[in-house]
């Protein structure tokens, strides 16, 4: 299991619904860390690589996802200001 944090000012409900529908890896909503940051507990068999990048790619594949400004981090990972 791993914790993944997703931050977005827009489409929070849609992102949450999208992730909760996934079967592999399995996402479970934990809490809202801030008004724009959601935390998910992710169960994966290891076949999806880095879960932060995989989660971001799932969101970006949605019709509205390519225009969203969002940040996806593994819990404890520091955002260094690099490319999002």
């Amino acid at each position: 299991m791993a914790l993944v944090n997703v931050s977005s000012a827009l489409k929070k409900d849609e992102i949450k619904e999208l992730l909760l529908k996934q079967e592999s890896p399995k996402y479970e909503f934990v809490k809202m860390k801030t008004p724009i940051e959601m935390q998910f507990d992710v169960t994966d068999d290891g076949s999806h690589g880095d879960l932060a990048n995989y989660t971001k790619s799932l969101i970006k594949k949605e019709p509205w996802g390519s225009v969203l400004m969002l940040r996806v981090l593994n819990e404890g990972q520091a955002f260094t200001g690099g490319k999002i």
Side-chain angles (χ1 to χ4, degrees), residues 43-62:
T43 305
D44 184 34
D45 60 6
S47 64
H48 296 95
D50 178 43
L51 288 173
N53 287 331
Y54 181 77
T55 302
K56 185 175 179 180
S57 71
L58 284 175
I59 297 166
K60 291 292 186 176
K61 287 178 187 174
E62 292 299 305

Side-chain angles (χ1 to χ4, degrees), residues 7-10 60 65-71 84:
S7 300
S8 178
L10 303 171
K60 291 292 186 176
S66 63
V67 297
L68 276 184
M69 181 147 180
L70 67 126
R71 180 177 72 188
I84 295 177

Side-chain angles (χ1 to χ4, degrees), residues 6-59:
V6 180
S7 300
S8 178
L10 303 171
K11 299 284 190 180
K12 290 186 293 283
D13 292 336
E14 289 87 343
I15 291 170
K16 183 177 176 183
E17 182 180 325
L18 169 72
L19 296 179
L20 292 177
K21 287 192 308 187
Q22 301 302 311
E23 292 297 321
S24 178
K26 182 74 175 155
Y27 291 82
E28 182 179 321
F29 180 75
V30 177
K31 65 181 176 180
M32 293 296 296
K33 290 190 73 167
T34 68
I36 65 167
E37 185 174 16
M38 298 175 281
Q39 187 172 68
F40 295 89
D41 192 1
V42 187
T43 305
D44 184 34
D45 60 6
S47 64
H48 296 95
D50 178 43
L51 288 173
N53 287 331
Y54 181 77
T55 302
K56 185 175 179 180
S57 71
L58 284 175
I59 297 166

